[in-house]
Amino acid sequence: MEFQKDTTFITGRLKSVTYAFKGALKLIRTEHSIMIQVSIAILLTIAGFYFSITKTEWLFQTLAIGLILSIEGLNTAVEKVADFIHPNYNEKIGFIKDIAAGAVFFAALTAITIGLIIYTPKFL
């Protein structure tokens, strides 16, 4: 069976959004790191309402949450592709996976910094 690409604008975009939503649900349901990140995002959202953070703080917090979830999703995709290509341990694959994990680390440091800037004054 040959894959037929939908070239119409509306239905093509709707299919893309559907696939993206299904992918997000797969990430949340199957990946422990994403489950943890979503839980933290929910807690920070509750904290944002509790502490009545400003509109600007909401923007930065939302950006940080989106950054973490996005990079974590890309890291998971890199790991899955690498494992598919080479299921056994391989030094080069390990190097690639470490680099992808390093991207998550940088995103996490950024998000932690944003969180500290927003919430430290609320506790002092």
Side-chain angles (χ1 to χ4, degrees):
M1 183 167 105
E2 186 177 322
F3 177 73
Q4 292 264 323
K5 183 173 181 170
D6 190 340
T7 56
T8 60
F9 181 76
I10 299 294
T11 57
R13 298 305 64 79
L14 288 173
K15 284 183 181 179
S16 295
V17 170
T18 301
Y19 294 138
F21 184 74
K22 286 167 67 174
L25 286 178
K26 283 180 185 178
L27 273 170
I28 293 168
R29 289 180 180 155
T30 63
E31 297 302 317
H32 293 288
S33 57
I34 294 288
M35 290 175 198
I36 292 167
Q37 298 298 344
V38 168
S39 298
I40 292 169
I42 291 167
L43 290 173
L44 284 171
T45 301
I46 292 167
F49 285 113
Y50 179 80
F51 289 109
S52 298
I53 62 176
T54 66
K55 188 183 293 187
T56 303
E57 290 169 332
W58 273 116
L59 290 172
F60 279 105
Q61 178 169 296
T62 303
L63 181 64
I65 290 169
L67 175 72
I68 288 292
L69 293 175
S70 299
I71 300 296
E72 192 74 65
L74 291 173
N75 178 54
T76 299
V78 167
E79 288 180 355
K80 298 292 183 191
V81 169
D83 290 343
F84 178 77
I85 292 170
H86 208 296
N88 299 320
Y89 176 77
N90 178 283
E91 191 174 322
K92 290 180 181 179
I93 293 292
F95 182 77
I96 292 165
K97 290 166 89 172
D98 288 347
I99 289 173
V104 175
F105 178 75
F106 287 131
L109 286 179
T110 302
I112 289 167
T113 302
I114 290 169
L116 288 173
I117 291 169
I118 292 171
Y119 290 105
T120 300
K122 313 281 187 223
F123 289 101
L124 297 179

